[in-house]
Coordinates of all heavy atoms in Angstrom, one line a residue:
M1 N -104.5 75.7 -62.5 CA -103.8 75.1 -63.6 C -104.2 73.7 -63.7 O -104.4 73.0 -62.7 CB -102.3 75.2 -63.2 CG -101.4 74.2 -63.9 SD -99.9 75.0 -64.4 CE -100.1 75.0 -66.2
Q2 N -104.4 73.2 -64.9 CA -104.8 71.8 -65.1 C -104.4 71.3 -66.5 O -104.1 72.1 -67.4 CB -106.3 71.6 -65.0 CG -107.2 72.2 -66.0 CD -108.7 71.9 -65.8 OE1 -109.1 71.8 -64.7 NE2 -109.4 71.8 -66.9
K3 N -104.2 70.0 -66.6 CA -103.9 69.4 -67.9 C -104.7 68.1 -67.9 O -104.8 67.4 -66.9 CB -102.4 69.1 -68.0 CG -101.6 70.3 -68.3 CD -100.3 70.0 -68.9 CE -99.6 71.3 -69.3 NZ -98.2 71.1 -69.8
T4 N -105.1 67.7 -69.1 CA -105.9 66.5 -69.4 C -105.1 65.5 -70.2 O -104.5 65.9 -71.2 CB -107.2 66.9 -70.0 OG1 -107.9 67.8 -69.2 CG2 -108.1 65.6 -70.3
F5 N -105.2 64.3 -69.8 CA -104.5 63.2 -70.5 C -105.4 62.1 -70.9 O -106.4 61.8 -70.2 CB -103.4 62.6 -69.7 CG -102.3 63.6 -69.3 CD1 -102.4 64.4 -68.2 CD2 -101.1 63.7 -70.1 CE1 -101.5 65.4 -67.9 CE2 -100.2 64.6 -69.8 CZ -100.3 65.5 -68.7
K6 N -105.1 61.4 -72.0 CA -105.7 60.2 -72.4 C -104.8 59.0 -72.0 O -103.6 59.1 -72.4 CB -106.0 60.1 -73.9 CG -106.7 58.9 -74.3 CD -107.0 58.9 -75.8 CE -107.6 57.6 -76.3 NZ -107.8 57.7 -77.8
V7 N -105.3 58.0 -71.2 CA -104.5 56.9 -70.8 C -104.2 56.1 -72.1 O -105.1 55.6 -72.7 CB -105.1 56.1 -69.7 CG1 -104.3 54.9 -69.4 CG2 -105.4 57.0 -68.5
T8 N -102.9 55.9 -72.3 CA -102.5 55.1 -73.5 C -101.9 53.7 -73.2 O -101.7 52.9 -74.0 CB -101.5 55.8 -74.4 OG1 -100.3 56.2 -73.6 CG2 -102.1 57.1 -75.0
S9 N -101.6 53.5 -71.9 CA -101.0 52.2 -71.4 C -102.1 51.1 -71.5 O -103.2 51.3 -71.1 CB -100.5 52.3 -70.0 OG -100.2 51.1 -69.5
D10 N -101.7 50.0 -72.2 CA -102.7 48.9 -72.3 C -103.1 48.3 -71.0 O -104.1 47.6 -70.9 CB -102.3 47.9 -73.3 CG -100.9 47.2 -73.0 OD1 -100.4 47.6 -71.9 OD2 -100.5 46.4 -73.8
T11 N -102.3 48.5 -70.0 CA -102.6 48.0 -68.6 C -103.3 49.1 -67.7 O -103.5 48.8 -66.6 CB -101.4 47.5 -67.9 OG1 -100.4 48.5 -67.8 CG2 -100.8 46.3 -68.7
G12 N -103.5 50.3 -68.3 CA -104.1 51.3 -67.5 C -103.1 51.9 -66.5 O -101.9 51.8 -66.6
I13 N -103.6 52.5 -65.4 CA -102.8 53.0 -64.4 C -103.0 52.2 -63.1 O -104.0 52.4 -62.4 CB -103.0 54.5 -64.1 CG1 -102.6 55.3 -65.4 CG2 -102.2 55.0 -62.9 CD1 -102.7 56.8 -65.3
H14 N -102.1 51.2 -63.0 CA -102.2 50.3 -61.9 C -101.3 50.7 -60.7 O -100.8 51.8 -60.7 CB -102.0 48.8 -62.3 CG -100.7 48.7 -63.1 ND1 -99.5 48.6 -62.5 CD2 -100.4 48.8 -64.4 CE1 -98.5 48.5 -63.4 NE2 -99.1 48.6 -64.6
A15 N -101.0 49.8 -59.8 CA -100.3 50.2 -58.6 C -98.9 50.8 -58.8 O -98.6 51.8 -58.2 CB -100.1 48.9 -57.7
R16 N -98.1 50.3 -59.7 CA -96.7 50.8 -59.9 C -96.7 52.2 -60.4 O -96.2 53.1 -59.8 CB -95.9 49.9 -60.7 CG -94.4 50.4 -60.8 CD -93.6 49.7 -61.9 NE -94.2 49.9 -63.3 CZ -94.1 51.0 -64.0 NH1 -93.4 52.1 -63.5 NH2 -94.6 51.1 -65.2
P17 N -97.4 52.5 -61.5 CA -97.4 53.9 -62.0 C -98.2 54.8 -61.1 O -97.9 56.0 -61.0 CB -98.1 53.8 -63.4 CG -98.7 52.4 -63.5 CD -98.0 51.6 -62.5
A18 N -99.2 54.3 -60.4 CA -100.0 55.2 -59.5 C -99.1 55.6 -58.4 O -99.1 56.7 -57.9 CB -101.2 54.4 -59.0
T19 N -98.2 54.7 -57.9 CA -97.3 55.0 -56.8 C -96.3 56.1 -57.3 O -96.1 57.1 -56.5 CB -96.5 53.8 -56.4 OG1 -97.5 52.8 -55.9 CG2 -95.5 54.1 -55.3
A20 N -95.8 56.0 -58.5 CA -94.9 57.0 -59.0 C -95.6 58.4 -59.1 O -95.1 59.4 -58.7 CB -94.4 56.6 -60.4
L21 N -96.9 58.4 -59.5 CA -97.7 59.7 -59.6 C -97.9 60.3 -58.2 O -97.8 61.5 -58.0 CB -99.0 59.5 -60.3 CG -98.9 59.1 -61.8 CD1 -100.2 58.6 -62.4 CD2 -98.4 60.3 -62.6
V22 N -98.3 59.4 -57.2 CA -98.5 59.9 -55.9 C -97.2 60.4 -55.2 O -97.2 61.5 -54.6 CB -99.1 58.7 -55.0 CG1 -99.2 59.1 -53.5 CG2 -100.6 58.4 -55.5
N23 N -96.1 59.6 -55.4 CA -94.9 60.1 -54.8 C -94.4 61.4 -55.4 O -93.9 62.3 -54.7 CB -93.8 59.0 -55.1 CG -94.0 57.8 -54.2 OD1 -94.7 57.8 -53.2 ND2 -93.3 56.7 -54.6
T24 N -94.7 61.6 -56.7 CA -94.3 62.9 -57.3 C -95.2 64.0 -56.7 O -94.7 65.1 -56.4 CB -94.5 62.8 -58.8 OG1 -93.6 61.8 -59.3 CG2 -94.2 64.2 -59.5
S25 N -96.5 63.8 -56.6 CA -97.4 64.8 -56.1 C -97.1 65.2 -54.7 O -97.2 66.4 -54.3 CB -98.9 64.2 -56.1 OG -99.3 64.0 -57.4
N26 N -96.6 64.2 -53.9 CA -96.3 64.5 -52.5 C -95.0 65.4 -52.3 O -94.7 65.9 -51.2 CB -96.1 63.2 -51.7 CG -97.5 62.7 -51.3 OD1 -98.3 63.4 -50.8 ND2 -97.7 61.4 -51.5
K27 N -94.3 65.6 -53.4 CA -93.1 66.5 -53.4 C -93.4 67.9 -53.4 O -92.6 68.8 -53.1 CB -92.2 66.2 -54.6 CG -91.5 64.8 -54.5 CD -90.7 64.6 -55.8 CE -90.1 63.1 -55.8 NZ -89.4 62.9 -57.0
F28 N -94.7 68.2 -53.6 CA -95.1 69.6 -53.8 C -96.0 70.1 -52.6 O -96.7 69.2 -52.1 CB -95.8 69.8 -55.1 CG -94.9 69.5 -56.3 CD1 -94.9 68.3 -56.9 CD2 -94.0 70.5 -56.8 CE1 -94.0 68.0 -57.9 CE2 -93.2 70.2 -57.8 CZ -93.2 69.0 -58.4
K29 N -96.0 71.4 -52.3 CA -96.8 71.9 -51.3 C -98.3 72.0 -51.7 O -99.2 71.8 -50.8 CB -96.3 73.3 -50.9 CG -95.0 73.3 -50.2 CD -94.5 74.7 -50.0 CE -93.1 74.8 -49.4 NZ -92.6 76.1 -49.3
T30 N -98.5 72.3 -52.9 CA -99.9 72.5 -53.4 C -100.7 71.2 -53.4 O -100.1 70.1 -53.5 CB -99.9 73.1 -54.8 OG1 -101.2 73.5 -55.2 CG2 -99.3 72.1 -55.9
D31 N -102.0 71.3 -53.3 CA -102.9 70.2 -53.4 C -103.1 69.9 -54.8 O -103.3 70.7 -55.6 CB -104.2 70.4 -52.7 CG -104.1 70.5 -51.2 OD1 -103.3 69.7 -50.6 OD2 -104.9 71.2 -50.6
V32 N -102.9 68.6 -55.2 CA -103.0 68.2 -56.6 C -104.2 67.2 -56.6 O -104.3 66.3 -55.8 CB -101.7 67.5 -57.1 CG1 -101.9 67.1 -58.6 CG2 -100.5 68.4 -56.8
F33 N -105.1 67.3 -57.6 CA -106.2 66.4 -57.7 C -106.2 65.8 -59.1 O -105.7 66.3 -60.1 CB -107.5 67.3 -57.5 CG -107.6 67.8 -56.2 CD1 -107.2 69.1 -55.9 CD2 -108.1 67.1 -55.1 CE1 -107.3 69.7 -54.7 CE2 -108.2 67.6 -53.8 CZ -107.8 68.9 -53.6
A34 N -106.9 64.6 -59.2 CA -107.2 64.0 -60.4 C -108.7 63.8 -60.6 O -109.3 63.5 -59.6 CB -106.5 62.6 -60.5
E35 N -109.2 64.0 -61.8 CA -110.6 63.8 -62.0 C -110.8 62.9 -63.2 O -110.2 63.1 -64.3 CB -111.3 65.1 -62.2 CG -112.8 65.0 -62.2 CD -113.4 66.4 -62.0 OE1 -112.7 67.4 -61.9 OE2 -114.7 66.4 -62.0
S36 N -111.6 61.9 -63.1 CA -111.9 61.0 -64.2 C -113.3 60.3 -63.9 O -113.6 60.0 -62.8 CB -110.8 59.9 -64.3 OG -111.1 59.1 -65.5
K37 N -114.0 60.2 -65.0 CA -115.3 59.5 -64.9 C -116.2 60.1 -63.8 O -116.9 59.3 -63.1 CB -115.1 58.0 -64.7 CG -114.3 57.3 -65.7 CD -114.2 55.8 -65.4 CE -112.8 55.4 -65.3 NZ -112.5 54.0 -65.0
G38 N -116.2 61.4 -63.6 CA -117.0 62.1 -62.7 C -116.6 62.0 -61.2 O -117.3 62.4 -60.3
K39 N -115.4 61.4 -61.0 CA -114.9 61.3 -59.6 C -113.6 62.1 -59.5 O -112.8 62.1 -60.4 CB -114.6 59.8 -59.4 CG -114.2 59.5 -58.0 CD -114.1 58.0 -57.7 CE -113.8 57.7 -56.3 NZ -113.7 56.2 -56.1
K40 N -113.5 62.8 -58.4 CA -112.3 63.6 -58.1 C -111.6 63.1 -56.8 O -112.3 62.9 -55.8 CB -112.7 65.1 -57.9 CG -111.6 66.1 -57.8 CD -112.1 67.5 -57.8 CE -110.9 68.5 -57.7 NZ -111.4 69.9 -57.7
V41 N -110.3 62.9 -56.9 CA -109.5 62.4 -55.8 C -108.2 63.2 -55.7 O -107.8 63.8 -56.6 CB -109.2 60.9 -56.0 CG1 -110.4 60.0 -56.1 CG2 -108.3 60.7 -57.2
T42 N -107.7 63.1 -54.5 CA -106.4 63.8 -54.2 C -105.3 62.9 -54.8 O -105.4 61.7 -54.8 CB -106.1 64.0 -52.8 OG1 -104.8 64.6 -52.6 CG2 -106.2 62.8 -51.9
M43 N -104.3 63.5 -55.4 CA -103.2 62.8 -56.0 C -102.1 62.4 -55.0 O -101.1 61.9 -55.3 CB -102.5 63.6 -57.1 CG -103.3 63.6 -58.4 SD -103.5 61.9 -59.1 CE -101.8 61.5 -59.4
K44 N -102.4 62.7 -53.7 CA -101.5 62.4 -52.6 C -101.9 61.1 -51.9 O -101.3 60.8 -50.9 CB -101.4 63.6 -51.7 CG -100.8 64.8 -52.4 CD -100.4 66.0 -51.5 CE -99.7 67.1 -52.3 NZ -99.2 68.1 -51.5
S45 N -102.9 60.4 -52.4 CA -103.4 59.2 -51.8 C -103.3 58.1 -52.9 O -104.1 58.1 -53.9 CB -104.8 59.4 -51.3 OG -105.4 58.1 -51.1
I46 N -102.6 57.0 -52.6 CA -102.5 55.9 -53.5 C -103.9 55.2 -53.7 O -104.3 54.8 -54.8 CB -101.4 54.8 -53.1 CG1 -101.3 53.7 -54.2 CG2 -101.7 54.2 -51.8 CD1 -100.7 54.2 -55.4
L47 N -104.6 55.1 -52.6 CA -106.0 54.5 -52.6 C -106.9 55.3 -53.5 O -107.7 54.8 -54.2 CB -106.5 54.3 -51.2 CG -105.8 53.2 -50.4 CD1 -106.4 53.1 -49.0 CD2 -105.9 51.8 -51.1
G48 N -106.8 56.7 -53.3 CA -107.6 57.5 -54.1 C -107.4 57.4 -55.6 O -108.3 57.2 -56.4
V49 N -106.1 57.3 -56.0 CA -105.7 57.2 -57.4 C -106.2 55.8 -57.9 O -106.8 55.8 -59.0 CB -104.2 57.4 -57.6 CG1 -103.8 57.1 -59.1 CG2 -103.8 58.8 -57.2
L50 N -106.0 54.8 -57.2 CA -106.4 53.5 -57.6 C -107.9 53.3 -57.7 O -108.4 52.6 -58.6 CB -105.8 52.4 -56.7 CG -104.3 52.2 -56.8 CD1 -103.8 51.2 -55.7 CD2 -103.9 51.7 -58.2
S51 N -108.6 54.1 -56.9 CA -110.1 54.0 -56.9 C -110.7 54.5 -58.2 O -111.8 54.3 -58.5 CB -110.7 54.8 -55.7 OG -110.6 56.2 -55.9
L52 N -109.9 55.3 -58.9 CA -110.4 55.8 -60.2 C -110.5 54.6 -61.3 O -111.2 54.8 -62.2 CB -109.5 56.9 -60.8 CG -109.4 58.2 -60.0 CD1 -108.4 59.1 -60.6 CD2 -110.8 58.9 -60.0
G53 N -109.8 53.6 -61.0 CA -109.9 52.4 -61.9 C -109.5 52.8 -63.4 O -110.2 52.4 -64.3
L54 N -108.4 53.5 -63.6 CA -108.1 54.0 -64.9 C -107.6 52.9 -65.8 O -106.7 52.1 -65.5 CB -107.0 55.1 -64.8 CG -107.5 56.3 -64.1 CD1 -106.3 57.2 -63.7 CD2 -108.5 57.1 -64.9
E55 N -108.3 52.8 -67.0 CA -107.9 51.8 -68.0 C -107.6 52.6 -69.3 O -107.8 53.8 -69.4 CB -109.2 50.9 -68.2 CG -109.6 50.2 -67.0 CD -110.8 49.4 -67.2 OE1 -111.5 49.6 -68.2 OE2 -111.1 48.5 -66.4
E56 N -107.0 51.8 -70.2 CA -106.6 52.3 -71.5 C -107.8 53.1 -72.1 O -109.0 52.7 -72.1 CB -106.2 51.2 -72.5 CG -105.6 51.7 -73.8 CD -105.1 50.6 -74.7 OE1 -105.5 49.5 -74.5 OE2 -104.3 50.9 -75.6
N57 N -107.5 54.3 -72.7 CA -108.4 55.2 -73.4 C -109.3 56.0 -72.4 O -110.1 56.9 -72.9 CB -109.3 54.5 -74.4 CG -108.5 53.9 -75.5 OD1 -107.6 54.5 -76.0 ND2 -108.9 52.7 -75.9
D58 N -109.1 55.8 -71.1 CA -109.8 56.7 -70.2 C -109.2 58.1 -70.2 O -108.0 58.2 -70.6 CB -109.7 56.2 -68.7 CG -110.7 55.0 -68.5 OD1 -111.6 54.8 -69.3 OD2 -110.5 54.4 -67.4
V59 N -109.9 59.1 -69.8 CA -109.4 60.5 -69.8 C -109.3 60.9 -68.3 O -110.2 60.7 -67.5 CB -110.3 61.5 -70.6 CG1 -109.9 62.9 -70.4 CG2 -110.4 61.1 -72.0
I60 N -108.1 61.5 -68.0 CA -107.9 62.0 -66.6 C -107.4 63.4 -66.7 O -106.6 63.8 -67.5 CB -106.8 61.1 -65.9 CG1 -106.6 61.6 -64.4 CG2 -105.5 60.9 -66.7 CD1 -105.8 60.6 -63.6
T61 N -107.9 64.2 -65.7 CA -107.5 65.6 -65.7 C -106.8 65.9 -64.3 O -107.4 65.6 -63.3 CB -108.7 66.6 -65.8 OG1 -109.3 66.4 -67.1 CG2 -108.3 68.0 -65.7
F62 N -105.6 66.4 -64.4 CA -104.8 66.7 -63.1 C -105.1 68.2 -62.9 O -105.0 69.0 -63.9 CB -103.3 66.5 -63.3 CG -103.0 65.0 -63.5 CD1 -102.3 64.6 -64.6 CD2 -103.3 64.1 -62.5 CE1 -102.0 63.3 -64.7 CE2 -102.9 62.8 -62.6 CZ -102.3 62.4 -63.8
S63 N -105.3 68.6 -61.7 CA -105.5 70.1 -61.4 C -104.8 70.4 -60.1 O -104.6 69.6 -59.2 CB -107.0 70.4 -61.3 OG -107.6 69.7 -60.3
A64 N -104.3 71.6 -60.1 CA -103.6 72.1 -58.9 C -103.7 73.6 -58.8 O -103.7 74.3 -59.8 CB -102.1 71.7 -58.9
E65 N -103.7 74.1 -57.6 CA -103.7 75.6 -57.4 C -102.8 75.8 -56.2 O -102.8 75.1 -55.2 CB -105.1 76.1 -57.1 CG -106.0 76.1 -58.3 CD -107.3 76.7 -58.0 OE1 -107.4 77.6 -57.1 OE2 -108.3 76.4 -58.7
G66 N -101.9 76.8 -56.3 CA -101.0 77.1 -55.2 C -99.7 77.6 -55.8 O -99.5 77.7 -57.0
E67 N -98.7 77.8 -54.9 CA -97.5 78.4 -55.3 C -96.6 77.6 -56.2 O -95.9 78.1 -57.0 CB -96.7 78.8 -54.0 CG -96.3 77.6 -53.2 CD -95.6 78.0 -51.9 OE1 -96.2 78.3 -50.9 OE2 -94.3 77.9 -51.9
D68 N -96.7 76.3 -56.1 CA -95.9 75.4 -57.0 C -96.8 74.5 -57.9 O -96.4 73.5 -58.3 CB -94.9 74.6 -56.2 CG -95.5 73.7 -55.1 OD1 -96.8 73.8 -54.9 OD2 -94.8 73.0 -54.4
A69 N -98.0 75.0 -58.2 CA -99.0 74.2 -59.0 C -98.4 73.9 -60.4 O -98.5 72.8 -60.9 CB -100.3 75.0 -59.1
A70 N -97.8 74.9 -61.0 CA -97.3 74.7 -62.4 C -96.2 73.6 -62.4 O -96.2 72.7 -63.3 CB -96.7 76.0 -63.0
E71 N -95.3 73.6 -61.4 CA -94.3 72.6 -61.3 C -94.8 71.2 -61.1 O -94.4 70.3 -61.6 CB -93.3 73.0 -60.2 CG -92.5 74.3 -60.5 CD -93.1 75.5 -60.0 OE1 -94.4 75.5 -59.7 OE2 -92.4 76.6 -59.8
A72 N -95.9 71.2 -60.2 CA -96.5 69.9 -59.9 C -97.1 69.3 -61.1 O -96.9 68.1 -61.4 CB -97.6 70.1 -58.8
I73 N -97.9 70.1 -61.9 CA -98.5 69.6 -63.1 C -97.5 69.2 -64.1 O -97.6 68.1 -64.8 CB -99.5 70.6 -63.7 CG1 -100.6 70.9 -62.7 CG2 -100.1 70.2 -65.0 CD1 -101.5 69.8 -62.3
A74 N -96.4 70.0 -64.3 CA -95.3 69.6 -65.2 C -94.7 68.3 -64.8 O -94.4 67.5 -65.7 CB -94.3 70.7 -65.3
A75 N -94.5 68.1 -63.5 CA -93.9 66.8 -63.1 C -94.8 65.6 -63.4 O -94.3 64.6 -63.8 CB -93.6 66.9 -61.6
L76 N -96.1 65.8 -63.2 CA -97.0 64.7 -63.5 C -97.1 64.4 -65.0 O -97.1 63.3 -65.5 CB -98.4 65.0 -63.0 CG -98.5 65.0 -61.5 CD1 -99.9 65.5 -61.0 CD2 -98.3 63.7 -60.9
E77 N -97.0 65.5 -65.8 CA -97.0 65.4 -67.3 C -95.8 64.6 -67.7 O -95.8 63.7 -68.5 CB -97.0 66.7 -67.9 CG -96.9 66.6 -69.5 CD -96.9 68.0 -70.2 OE1 -97.0 69.0 -69.5 OE2 -96.9 68.0 -71.4
E78 N -94.6 64.8 -67.1 CA -93.4 64.1 -67.4 C -93.5 62.6 -67.1 O -93.1 61.8 -68.0 CB -92.2 64.7 -66.6 CG -90.9 64.1 -67.0 CD -89.7 64.8 -66.4 OE1 -89.8 66.0 -66.0 OE2 -88.7 64.1 -66.2
I79 N -94.1 62.3 -66.0 CA -94.3 60.9 -65.7 C -95.3 60.2 -66.7 O -95.0 59.1 -67.2 CB -94.8 60.7 -64.3 CG1 -93.6 61.0 -63.3 CG2 -95.2 59.2 -64.0 CD1 -94.0 61.0 -61.9
M80 N -96.4 60.9 -66.9 CA -97.4 60.3 -67.9 C -96.8 60.0 -69.2 O -97.0 59.0 -69.8 CB -98.6 61.3 -68.0 CG -99.4 61.4 -66.8 SD -100.3 59.9 -66.4 CE -101.6 59.8 -67.7
T81 N -96.0 61.0 -69.7 CA -95.5 60.8 -71.1 C -94.2 59.9 -71.1 O -94.1 59.0 -72.0 CB -95.2 62.2 -71.8 OG1 -94.3 62.9 -70.9 CG2 -96.4 63.0 -72.0
K82 N -93.3 60.1 -70.2 CA -92.0 59.3 -70.3 C -92.2 57.9 -69.9 O -91.5 57.0 -70.4 CB -91.0 60.0 -69.3 CG -90.4 61.2 -69.9 CD -89.1 61.6 -69.2 CE -88.5 62.8 -69.9 NZ -87.3 63.3 -69.2
E83 N -93.2 57.6 -69.1 CA -93.5 56.2 -68.7 C -94.5 55.5 -69.6 O -94.9 54.4 -69.4 CB -94.0 56.2 -67.2 CG -93.1 56.7 -66.2 CD -91.9 55.8 -66.0 OE1 -92.0 54.6 -66.1 OE2 -90.8 56.3 -65.7
G84 N -94.9 56.3 -70.6 CA -95.9 55.7 -71.6 C -97.3 55.4 -71.0 O -98.0 54.6 -71.5
L85 N -97.6 56.2 -70.0 CA -99.0 56.1 -69.4 C -100.1 56.8 -70.1 O -101.2 56.4 -70.1 CB -98.9 56.6 -68.0 CG -97.9 55.9 -67.0 CD1 -97.9 56.6 -65.7 CD2 -98.2 54.4 -66.9
G86 N -99.7 57.9 -70.7 CA -100.7 58.7 -71.4 C -100.1 59.8 -72.2 O -98.9 60.1 -72.2
E87 N -101.0 60.5 -72.9 CA -100.6 61.6 -73.8 C -101.6 62.7 -73.6 O -102.7 62.5 -73.1 CB -100.7 61.2 -75.3 CG -102.0 60.7 -75.7 CD -102.0 60.1 -77.1 OE1 -101.0 59.6 -77.6 OE2 -103.1 60.1 -77.7
L88 N -101.1 64.0 -73.8 CA -102.0 65.1 -73.7 C -103.2 65.0 -74.5 O -103.2 64.4 -75.6 CB -101.3 66.4 -74.1 CG -100.3 67.0 -73.0 CD1 -99.5 68.1 -73.6 CD2 -101.0 67.4 -71.8
H89 N -104.3 65.4 -74.0 CA -105.6 65.2 -74.6 C -106.4 66.5 -74.7 O -106.4 67.3 -73.7 CB -106.5 64.2 -73.8 CG -107.8 63.9 -74.3 ND1 -108.0 63.1 -75.4 CD2 -109.0 64.2 -73.9 CE1 -109.3 63.0 -75.7 NE2 -109.9 63.7 -74.8
G90 N -107.0 66.7 -75.8 CA -107.9 67.9 -76.0 C -107.1 69.1 -76.1 O -107.3 70.2 -75.9

């Protein structure tokens, strides 16, 4: 399962929103990954997420496989949209 977003926040995804995304990912059993600019990282590591250097208009794809993958992706989508970080892309 995966969903792709375009970053709409003019400050990109910096420490505070990255922490919210990581904390959410850690609530699930499944491994959750983010991919952007040819780099793939685990969503359970703040350093990994920050290493993507996400800025406004960048595209990020969240992916997960496992028993609660759909719930994990839905939770990340909720944070991306409700916090004004990004919108569904493609």
Side-chain angles (χ1 to χ4, degrees):
M1 156 140 252
Q2 69 178 33
K3 284 198 177 179
T4 301
F5 296 86
K6 179 179 177 183
V7 177
T8 56
S9 171
D10 59 359
T11 57
I13 297 184
H14 52 83
R16 185 194 59 77
T19 299
L21 292 167
V22 169
N23 287 344
T24 298
S25 297
N26 279 314
K27 293 177 183 176
F28 298 94
K29 293 178 184 173
T30 189
D31 288 328
V32 184
F33 297 96
E35 192 166 357
S36 183
K37 302 182 237 178
K39 186 173 183 180
K40 185 175 183 177
V41 300
T42 176
M43 282 301 297
K44 296 191 176 189
S45 163
I46 186 71
L47 292 176
V49 175
L50 291 174
S51 76
L52 293 174
L54 294 166
E55 299 175 347
E56 186 176 18
N57 296 319
D58 284 347
V59 174
I60 181 171
T61 300
F62 296 120
S63 61
E65 289 186 26
E67 63 184 82
D68 55 1
E71 293 90 342
I73 297 297
L76 291 173
E77 178 179 0
E78 184 173 334
I79 290 176
M80 289 293 289
T81 55
K82 285 193 175 177
E83 297 293 326
L85 301 175
E87 60 189 22
L88 280 172
H89 181 72

